[in-house]
Every structure is written in C-alpha cells, then in structure tokens.
Amino acid sequence: MNPIDIINYLPKLGLVVVVMGLVECTRQGLGYLQRKRAKQVIRHVIFFPDKKIACKNFFDEIQGCSMVSCDFSHTKTGFKHLLSYLKSAKKSIDIAVYCISCFEIADVVLQRHKVGVRVRVITDLSMEAAFGSQNHRFMKDGIRVQTNKPPFLMHHKFVIIDDEVLCFGSFNWTSQAVTGNNESVVVTNDRWVVEPFCAEFKKLWLETKPDN
C-alpha cells in the first residue's frame, strides 16, 4: 500500500474505531443497567433470643420514643428484622409454621391482608387450640387457615413472601421463641432455595384442603 492509499484509508479506519467504541460503550451501558435493575441478593441469618424487645414507639411513631429512660431496645433487633420482611410483602404471604401464637407477628400479617396481600396459612392441627393461637384471628378476618391430618405433625417453620423471599429455620411464631429460646432464621431470595419451598407449600396446600 503506497502513501496515497494510506491517506485515503485513514478516514475509514477512524470511522471503524468510532463505531467499535460506540458498540463497546453501549455494551457497557446495558451491563450497568442490568446490574442496577438486578435485585439485591439477600443472605441474612437472624439468631434468637433477642436480649430486649424493640421499642414500638421508637420504630413506629413519627416522634419516636419520648421516655427519658426506656427499658426497650432502640436498635433493630432480630425480631424487628423479621417483621420488616413480612411488612415488605406486596402480593402474597404463604405461611407454613407449626405453632403461631405471637400476636405481634399476627398483627403484621393481618395488616398486609387488609391492604390486599393474599395470605395463606398452614399450621399443625394440634396447635389450633393452643394457648394464644392466632388462627381464630386470621380466620375471623377472612384468611384461609388449613391444618394437617393426624397422626403426624406439620412441623415446618417457613414463610414465603411474594414468591421471592424465604424465611426459614427453627423459629416457631411464639413469644418464647423471640426472647427465650435459642433459635435461628435464614432469609434469602436465592431462587435455588426459594423455588423448592414454593413447591412444598403448593403440595401441602393441596394435601391439607378440607375436602381431601
């Protein structure tokens, strides 16, 4: 290639470089948008018991806690974290928990139900008449509650929020589990973990239908 040919070729080469640069910038930009839109990965482990109960006024009231000396916690407890996941539900809450007697958790579930979130509950038949059972509150407000058939237990302790977030572990929904027992709850939105639990809940829901 002689010097004149090189001179004539330079504008074309520059155009190719510019196009390649634009393609790369577009690729990088799309990658950034995809990463930005991707949901934050949740891998949260909560241990109980909580040393103190969270201060309701501090977290729930606009003016906060006005008490000079407050015996409750002003830092976010494990229980408060768990409640915040339940409060985040926008479409559905599927509950499979052996024993449900903690009224604070029931309050949050009922609040979500009242704003249109679909709630389904599966619990153990032997716990239906347990002291403090919240089943009657759920059913009174129109939440469908189903129980297993004896002699074996429905011993799961998990909840699925919006078919995307799973909370599971040893934690029964009792006040004793919050401030007394050594318990654990794992929270994740990992599809490899969430989807089998969704399938298990669907299976149990069909098995515990009253007409089965």
Side-chain angles (χ1 to χ4, degrees):
M1 185 178 289
N2 59 48
I4 294 175
D5 291 334
I6 293 173
I7 292 170
N8 291 333
Y9 181 72
L10 283 176
K12 296 179 181 178
L13 181 63
L15 180 61
V16 170
V17 171
V18 170
V19 170
M20 289 177 65
L22 288 173
V23 169
E24 179 61 20
C25 287
T26 302
R27 188 184 70 80
Q28 295 282 355
L30 289 172
Y32 170 76
L33 288 174
Q34 287 174 347
R35 290 192 298 273
K36 191 173 181 180
R37 289 173 183 168
K39 292 185 178 179
Q40 183 181 3
V41 177
I42 301 172
R43 296 189 185 97
H44 189 185
V45 180
I46 306 171
F47 290 108
F48 293 92
D50 286 340
K51 291 182 179 178
K52 286 187 175 182
I53 297 172
C55 177
K56 187 174 177 60
N57 289 337
F58 182 80
F59 287 102
D60 296 347
E61 302 298 330
I62 295 174
Q63 69 273 18
C65 179
S66 59
M67 294 180 65
V68 176
S69 179
C70 181
D71 292 331
F72 298 99
S73 174
H74 286 189
T75 58
K76 204 164 187 179
T77 62
F79 188 54
K80 205 68 182 175
H81 278 293
L82 181 59
L83 292 181
S84 69
Y85 286 112
L86 290 170
K87 288 178 180 179
S88 73
K90 295 178 176 61
K91 298 183 297 182
S92 63
I93 301 175
D94 287 334
I95 300 162
V97 174
Y98 171 69
C99 181
I100 304 173
S101 62
C102 180
F103 71 89
E104 291 97 339
I105 301 181
D107 284 347
V108 172
V109 172
L110 287 165
Q111 286 165 10
R112 301 316 298 155
H113 169 68
K114 287 174 182 176
V115 297
V117 174
R118 184 202 69 195
V119 178
R120 297 185 292 181
V121 179
I122 303 172
T123 188
D124 193 76
L125 179 63
S126 66
M127 292 293 105
E128 197 169 33
F131 178 77
S133 172
Q134 299 297 300
N135 289 7
H136 66 285
R137 290 184 65 200
F138 290 150
M139 291 186 286
K140 184 179 177 182
D141 273 45
I143 293 175
R144 189 166 170 183
V145 178
Q146 296 183 180
T147 57
N148 64 311
K149 296 174 177 62
F152 301 108
L153 303 178
M154 200 303 299
H155 212 240
H156 283 306
K157 294 103 178 173
F158 70 84
V159 57
I160 305 164
I161 300 159
D162 295 336
D163 291 326
E164 294 179 352
V165 177
L166 169 70
C167 308
F168 70 101
S170 64
F171 185 86
N172 272 308
W173 288 11
T174 67
S175 297
Q176 184 173 312
V178 177
T179 56
N181 299 345
N182 294 113
E183 308 275 8
S184 61
V185 176
V186 177
V187 185
T188 183
N189 60 355
D190 186 333
R191 297 307 305 173
W192 286 85
V193 182
V194 177
E195 288 178 2
F197 276 87
C198 289
E200 174 68 5
F201 187 90
K202 184 177 180 180
K203 177 179 75 73
L204 288 173
W205 190 251
L206 291 173
E207 289 176 353
T208 56
K209 272 189 176 181
D211 55 349
N212 277 357

